[in-house]
Amino acid sequence: IDPQRTFRTLLAAAVLAPLLMAGMARAQQPAVPAQPQPLAAPVKLGVPDATAPLKALPGRWTGTGVAQLANGHREPFSCVVTYIHDTAKSELRQGVRCESPNIKMSTSAVMQISGTALNGSWEEKLHDAKGKVTGQLTADGIRAAVTHQARAADVQVVALSACEQSVTLVATKPGDMVQAIAAQLRKC
């Protein structure tokens, strides 16, 4: 198993299942949780329905994060993520560029929105990886599952405010080199 390819695949999947990572104003790295859970308590965006995250999501988000590898190593990374919500097509598009000291990636995702359900696909352009995204919009963010061949992960994006979100990814299949990813994103 190539640990860098596994890292790229899971990082791409995480960053793509709407909703992920990039540049914090603080220099602090977020902790990687053992289970998918918010990095901080969610703040309601003032709209009680589950489509609320879509109202604040469009735009350019930046931030930093950390990937927890199976060998105990922690790989820091930074990302720029762009979201476009096309209400006419009931579609959410995402572009992601991430970089760590050892890895670069560029991904895109297109997800169809039906009520609170998300279904779509993602593609990592530099390393030719593709997969599927399925999930749900919730009142405080998004819960999704991302898949790529024999790998899978659960992703949770929590809106901490209209300007900040936390993202966690936890691998759901044994043997993955990347066990968890945690990131903070900001756009204001």
Side-chain angles (χ1 to χ4, degrees), residues 77-116:
F77 59 89
S78 63
C79 294
V80 174
V81 180
T82 303
Y83 296 101
I84 298 170
H85 180 207
D86 186 335
T87 55
K89 293 183 179 180
S90 295
E91 183 177 89
L92 180 63
R93 291 189 300 267
Q94 180 190 52
V96 178
R97 282 187 266 218
C98 293
E99 189 171 319
S100 76
N102 301 309
I103 299 166
K104 290 184 182 181
M105 63 165 237
S106 176
T107 59
S108 63
V110 177
M111 289 150 284
Q112 298 301 311
I113 304 163
S114 178
T116 60

Side-chain angles (χ1 to χ4, degrees), residues 67-80:
Q68 179 67 51
L69 305 180
N71 66 4
H73 179 72
R74 297 169 57 86
E75 179 82 21
F77 59 89
S78 63
C79 294
V80 174

Side-chain angles (χ1 to χ4, degrees), residues 6 9 49 55 63 68-69 92 105 107 117 142 155 165 175 187:
T6 301
T9 299
D49 69 292
K55 292 171 178 55
Q68 179 67 51
L69 305 180
L92 180 63
M105 63 165 237
T107 59
I142 298 169
V155 177
Q165 59 182 245
K187 78 168 184 177

Side-chain angles (χ1 to χ4, degrees), residues 1-181:
I1 297 177
D2 177 358
Q4 287 194 353
R5 184 163 179 86
T6 301
F7 174 78
R8 287 189 303 262
T9 299
L10 282 178
L11 183 59
V15 184
L16 287 172
L19 336 172
L20 303 65
M21 6 206 107
M24 288 174 54
R26 333 170 221 186
Q28 187 174 3
Q29 294 285 333
V32 177
Q35 295 295 319
Q37 57 188 348
L39 296 176
V43 174
K44 302 299 180 197
L45 297 177
V47 182
D49 69 292
T51 61
L54 292 176
K55 292 171 178 55
L57 194 57
R60 182 179 185 270
W61 295 77
T62 61
T64 59
V66 166
Q68 179 67 51
L69 305 180
N71 66 4
H73 179 72
R74 297 169 57 86
E75 179 82 21
F77 59 89
S78 63
C79 294
V80 174
V81 180
T82 303
Y83 296 101
I84 298 170
H85 180 207
D86 186 335
T87 55
K89 293 183 179 180
S90 295
E91 183 177 89
L92 180 63
R93 291 189 300 267
Q94 180 190 52
V96 178
R97 282 187 266 218
C98 293
E99 189 171 319
S100 76
N102 301 309
I103 299 166
K104 290 184 182 181
M105 63 165 237
S106 176
T107 59
S108 63
V110 177
M111 289 150 284
Q112 298 301 311
I113 304 163
S114 178
T116 60
L118 293 172
N119 289 292
S121 61
W122 63 268
E123 176 181 11
E124 202 289 322
K125 298 167 188 159
L126 298 176
H127 306 285
D128 195 31
K130 297 178 183 180
K132 294 184 180 186
V133 177
T134 58
Q136 288 290 132
L137 297 170
T138 66
D140 63 354
I142 298 169
R143 286 187 180 268
V146 291
T147 59
H148 170 280
Q149 297 172 349
R151 294 183 174 84
D154 289 331
V155 177
Q156 182 175 4
V157 177
V158 175
L160 302 175
S161 73
C163 296
E164 185 177 14
Q165 59 182 245
S166 70
V167 180
T168 58
L169 173 137
V170 176
T172 57
K173 293 199 175 183
D176 279 332
M177 294 302 295
V178 177
Q179 296 179 336
I181 292 174

